[in-house]
Amino acid sequence: MPTFEKKLLDLSQISVIITDDSKVTAKQLLEQSAALRSGCSELKSKSVAVVYTDTISFVTALVAFDGFCGALYLCSHESIKSIPKDVCHWPINSKTDCSKSTVTSQNDGLSLPIKTKWYLASSGTSGMPKWFSHGFSDLIRQTRISATLQNLCWGSLYEPHRFAGLQVTLQALLSGASLVVTEKTNVIDRVSVYAQQNVSAISATPSMWRQLLMTNQLHSLSLSHISLGGEIADQGIIDALSHYFPIANIRHIYASTEAGVGFVVSDKKAGFPQSWLQEGVNGAELQVDGNQHLRIKPQGRLDKSLVNRIDENGFLDTEDRVELVKGRVLFLGRASGIINVGGNKVHPEKVESVLLSVEGVLQVRVYAKANSVLGALVEAEITINPSLDWSVLVKKIRSQCKLKLQRFEIPVKLRQVTRMEINSSGKLSRSNINV
């Protein structure tokens, strides 16, 4: 049975985590994790909450406790409030003193590694976070290893306690690559750090990529690998990144905290090929049901808490609505995010895609405004190129809406804003929808 520690030991190339003030190799991670584990025998087979404070300490704990503890809850200071009461808290931090511990591997004087469940929390945007379990084998199912990938230097934009951040961390470390982590929160400062460290691969949500594009600093990077996930990757953002990095491998990843990584699309087109509904992809089977919901039967095990969303054939209702257009399956948005305008269903993401197709529009957030007659109306906040005239651009936006949208989908109000709020999971904040 593979464990995080065993996979790191198997590396032929030394992985490295680079932070603002330190550098740690895979060998050092293994030594530190063994020392940490040897000093906490009381946690063997227990459920443990590992709270994120910094990347190196967090990853050290994951390596130490996978195969040793019964379950790991990957927490932020916020999500720890929602874990079961019987879970032990482990306050890992960079000042943890393991110097007096005896370094041991998991099998020195201990039983064989146990199968640890890894619990990751949903974003909690619609209430308290929900926890979903994964096996380590399922988490690394899509991890790719090659000589080319060993030479990459990944820039981390996600915290590793989240599913997307964990995927980037595992991909970097288990392929023998480097991972650059910075505590800087300003987007321009982050790009500067990535340029200094020669980052060649970045994974981010479409909203985060739009923020990076707005800095006008991406020309300082030489990216060969680009990943998008967490939100709909529309053709506009894919084309924009292709323009900046014409020879880069650009992939958009369909994944969720509850189901894990479903599939990866690498043909630089929005959505995915309709043929995958018949053929499947990477061991996963796909269907579209009568409600236009995408259903997926992944290769790995699904959390038992999802039983109400799994049909008799083992397909999970993703609750993402899709449409079939010219041989592609295009994403419309979450079923739970639909705006009801007088009985007509409006997908905010569809309207956003149309508005983003107007040259000069940089970022858009579409939301519902309560209305006593129709139930709700569609409104939009828009960030534009500061060199453009708002009144002129509004006319172009209105014209595009009339061409591409039905009347009930067209925003009744357009509001210019200087920036969009991105939540802690890297997605466009929709916390005040239906206001």
Side-chain angles (χ1 to χ4, degrees):
M1 179 184 67
T3 63
F4 199 168
E5 181 184 58
K6 180 64 168 63
K7 284 294 183 181
L8 276 181
L9 284 169
D10 287 345
L11 285 175
S12 58
Q13 191 97 340
I14 298 296
S15 304
V16 177
I17 298 179
I18 302 167
T19 69
D20 292 326
D21 54 11
S22 62
K23 178 191 244 184
V24 177
T25 65
K27 180 180 179 181
Q28 290 170 320
L29 277 175
L30 289 165
E31 291 172 348
Q32 292 173 12
S33 64
L36 176 61
R37 184 173 58 245
S38 69
C40 54
S41 58
E42 72 279 5
L43 294 180
K44 183 170 170 51
S45 301
K46 299 285 183 64
S47 294
V48 178
V50 182
V51 185
Y52 172 79
T53 56
D54 66 273
T55 297
I56 291 176
S57 297
F58 189 77
V59 173
T60 298
L62 298 183
V63 176
F65 296 149
D66 182 44
F68 181 77
C69 297
L72 298 178
Y73 284 77
L74 280 57
C75 297
S76 66
H77 288 291
E78 289 300 316
S79 61
I80 197 172
K81 300 172 185 176
S82 64
I83 63 171
K85 294 181 179 179
D86 60 343
V87 175
C88 304
H89 292 198
W90 185 254
I92 298 296
N93 59 64
S94 57
K95 297 180 178 60
T96 301
D97 183 10
C98 299
S99 59
K100 297 179 182 179
S101 301
T102 303
V103 178
T104 62
S105 72
Q106 287 188 354
N107 292 327
D108 290 343
L110 300 172
S111 59
L112 291 174
I114 62 178
K115 190 172 183 179
T116 303
K117 290 183 177 180
W118 293 49
Y119 283 87
L120 290 101
S122 64
S123 60
T125 52
S126 59
M128 286 293 286
K130 296 178 182 178
W131 292 92
F132 300 99
S133 68
H134 301 270
F136 183 70
S137 296
D138 294 330
L139 289 171
I140 64 173
R141 192 178 301 279
Q142 296 293 338
T143 300
R144 300 176 301 151
I145 299 174
S146 71
T148 300
L149 295 174
Q150 285 179 350
N151 294 322
L152 291 180
C153 181
W154 285 87
S156 177
L157 283 167
Y158 302 105
E159 293 177 345
H161 62 84
R162 298 193 177 279
F163 185 83
L166 182 62
Q167 287 294 304
V168 172
T169 302
L170 293 174
Q171 175 61 50
L173 294 180
L174 299 184
S175 63
S178 300
L179 178 67
V180 175
V181 180
T182 177
E183 297 298 322
K184 299 182 187 301
T185 56
N186 181 279
V187 179
I188 293 179
D189 291 341
R190 283 188 166 192
V191 173
S192 178
V193 170
Y194 297 154
Q196 292 170 15
Q197 296 294 343
N198 296 316
V199 163
S200 56
I202 293 178
S203 178
T205 63
S207 290
M208 295 166 88
W209 278 115
R210 289 189 179 97
Q211 281 198 340
L212 290 170
L213 287 166
M214 287 166 62
T215 67
N216 293 318
Q217 300 296 313
L218 281 186
H219 58 80
S220 64
L221 301 177
S222 298
L223 300 182
S224 61
H225 286 69
I226 290 172
S227 298
L228 303 93
E231 297 173 312
I232 296 174
D234 62 84
Q235 197 61 51
I237 189 63
I238 295 172
D239 289 345
L241 292 171
S242 298
H243 174 74
Y244 261 88
F245 305 102
I247 62 173
N249 179 334
I250 299 177
R251 310 183 311 152
H252 47 109
I253 301 168
Y254 182 81
S256 65
T257 303
E258 59 265 39
V261 177
F263 51 86
V264 178
V265 186
S266 56
D267 59 7
K268 297 187 179 182
K269 296 179 181 180
F272 62 89
Q274 187 174 336
S275 59
W276 288 4
L277 296 176
Q278 290 77 42
E279 303 167 1
V281 56
N282 295 335
E285 297 178 54
L286 306 173
Q287 290 181 349
V288 177
D289 66 21
N291 294 317
Q292 288 184 271
H293 289 203
L294 178 66
R295 290 180 175 266
I296 184 169
K297 186 177 183 180
Q299 195 171 8
R301 177 188 60 85
L302 290 168
D303 188 284
K304 61 182 180 182
S305 67
L306 296 168
V307 62
N308 292 332
R309 288 169 54 188
I310 301 173
D311 65 20
E312 64 276 8
N313 296 314
F315 283 83
L316 171 71
D317 182 358
T318 66
E319 299 181 350
D320 285 320
R321 297 191 82 229
V322 296
E323 63 177 347
L324 308 182
V325 180
K326 298 180 180 179
R328 301 291 290 188
V329 181
L330 301 179
F331 289 93
L332 294 172
R334 298 289 289 173
S336 59
I338 289 175
I339 301 172
N340 192 320
V341 181
N344 296 299
K345 296 178 179 180
V346 179
H347 291 279
E349 295 91 342
K350 176 185 176 182
V351 181
E352 288 167 359
S353 180
V354 172
L355 271 58
L356 284 165
S357 69
V358 178
E359 186 176 356
V361 173
L362 303 179
Q363 210 157 18
V364 176
R365 186 178 75 97
V366 169
Y367 56 94
K369 182 70 175 179
N371 180 271
S372 59
V373 178
L374 297 176
L377 293 173
V378 180
E379 295 189 357
E381 295 177 339
I382 302 174
T383 300
I384 69 170
N385 186 320
S387 65
L388 299 179
D389 183 277
W390 169 247
S391 59
V392 173
L393 199 57
V394 165
K395 293 178 181 178
K396 293 181 179 180
I397 293 170
R398 293 289 184 198
S399 295
Q400 184 75 335
C401 287
K402 290 177 181 178
L403 286 174
K404 301 289 186 179
L405 297 173
Q406 298 184 67
R407 185 174 180 179
F408 60 84
E409 295 175 311
I410 298 175
V412 297
K413 183 177 181 180
L414 304 175
R415 187 161 68 94
Q416 183 183 11
V417 295
T418 56
R419 62 183 296 273
M420 297 283 175
E421 182 181 350
I422 304 297
N423 64 26
S424 57
S425 61
K427 301 176 184 179
L428 193 65
S429 178
R430 299 183 184 275
S431 57
N432 63 340
I433 281 184
N434 295 317
V435 295

